[in-house]
Amino acid sequence: MPPKRRPLPESYRNEEFLSSREARSLRILSEYLEPQRRFARYKVDDTVVFMGSARTLPQAQAEQALKEAKESTGDISKAERQLEMSKYYEAARELARRLTEWSKALSDEERRFVVCTGGGPGIMEAANRGASEAKGMNIGLTISIPIEEFDNSYITRELSFHFHYFFMRKFWFAYLAKAIIVFPGGFGTLDELFELLTLMQTGKIRKHLPIVLFGKAYWNEVINFDALVRYSNIDPQDLDLLYQTDSVDEAYAFLIDHLTRYAIEERGAIL
């Protein structure tokens, strides 16, 4: 008797097919449907998104790095800059904690204004950490990139996501967001910020979506917004899409005022 042949896998179990070019549309759809299913399961109605550099250190770690640099032949200038930038880690942590405490106090069956980040270290870790310290569920949307990426330990396990497609990750940032807080960051942060500004400027995002730029000195040095107006490449009123501050208290007051006036009623995932 000839040996029995092993049954072939069904198409939806065929890993070779699912990883193929022909199945790309299925993979894209999966990065829409799977997060949607989990957000519904855990009653996440909308989010407050924190963006910023993955390289920003907590203050205690930055202080230790500077101490070690001074005791050895380390780069003291770099360590001093890291310590200076660590104030943004602590600010993001505090702001996320306060926003989470406020959102938890709302009388709503759904989870409103849940802190959401890119899920990695730095500013992302700080915001997830602050939300966790307030005992609130929080979200991490990580991405597969050549540089080692990981879910920071403060993300709620049930709301930790991992994406292959940047545009699907950006979709979930924008679709659920009722406010965006952008801390100093690099290429990735700039990419996310300007895409959101473009969507709002062109009316593709129609909901009330405040964007807070935290760290005036950094943003005014890195981006000359006034020059964009002066060269007539944006209108003066386009600058109203941004609110700049250096203060956790100011950012918190601005966001609570906006969320109370608009977002309480503009509930759910909308653009």
Side-chain angles (χ1 to χ4, degrees), residues 3 15 68 93 103 136 144 146 158 161 198 202 204 225 238 246:
E15 293 187 9
E68 292 174 358
R93 177 181 173 184
S103 69
S144 56
E158 295 83 358
F161 301 86
T198 301
T202 57
K204 296 300 183 180
F225 291 105
D238 289 332
D246 292 312

Side-chain angles (χ1 to χ4, degrees), residues 33-210:
L33 293 174
E34 196 276 331
Q36 182 185 55
R37 177 174 178 266
R38 263 196 279 170
F39 286 134
R41 178 179 180 183
Y42 292 101
K43 297 183 178 181
V44 174
D45 211 28
D46 39 35
T47 62
V48 174
V49 176
F50 283 71
M51 297 174 173
S53 176
R55 306 184 187 196
T56 307
L57 300 178
Q59 183 176 340
Q61 187 177 339
E63 289 173 345
Q64 181 62 30
L66 178 57
K67 179 182 177 182
E68 292 174 358
K70 289 180 177 179
E71 292 174 350
S72 63
T73 57
D75 189 336
I76 295 177
S77 295
K78 179 180 178 180
E80 289 175 339
R81 287 195 300 272
Q82 287 178 325
L83 180 57
E84 172 66 17
M85 296 297 286
S86 71
K87 65 186 178 185
Y88 296 118
Y89 182 104
E90 302 306 330
R93 177 181 173 184
E94 173 66 11
L95 183 56
R97 181 187 65 79
R98 291 172 63 173
L99 288 169
T100 301
E101 289 174 346
W102 173 78
S103 69
K104 287 178 63 182
L106 297 173
S107 56
D108 202 300
E109 293 182 359
E110 302 293 310
R111 290 188 171 90
R112 305 295 309 275
F113 315 120
V114 180
V115 166
C116 176
T117 80
I123 294 298
M124 296 172 280
E125 175 189 287
N128 290 124
R129 182 176 182 177
S132 178
E133 289 169 342
K135 296 180 171 55
M137 295 189 81
N138 61 90
I139 301 163
L141 310 179
T142 60
I143 187 76
S144 56
I145 53 178
I147 301 172
E148 184 178 357
E149 182 83 2
F150 60 90
D151 294 0
N152 69 66
S153 60
Y154 299 100
I155 301 169
T156 301
R157 181 179 301 177
E158 295 83 358
L159 295 174
S160 180
F161 301 86
H162 193 62
F163 290 84
H164 175 75
Y165 297 103
F166 267 105
F167 66 89
M168 289 308 304
R169 181 191 192 219
K170 289 177 178 179
F171 169 82
W172 283 113
F173 276 138
Y175 192 36
L176 289 175
K178 291 300 189 298
I180 308 285
I181 306 103
V182 188
F183 284 81
F187 288 162
T189 303
L190 293 170
D191 172 51
E192 292 158 352
L193 169 62
F194 276 102
E195 182 156 0
L196 286 165
L197 287 172
T198 301
L199 291 170
M200 293 176 67
Q201 183 195 52
T202 57
K204 296 300 183 180
I205 289 179
R206 297 181 299 277
K207 62 188 173 184
H208 294 91
L209 184 65

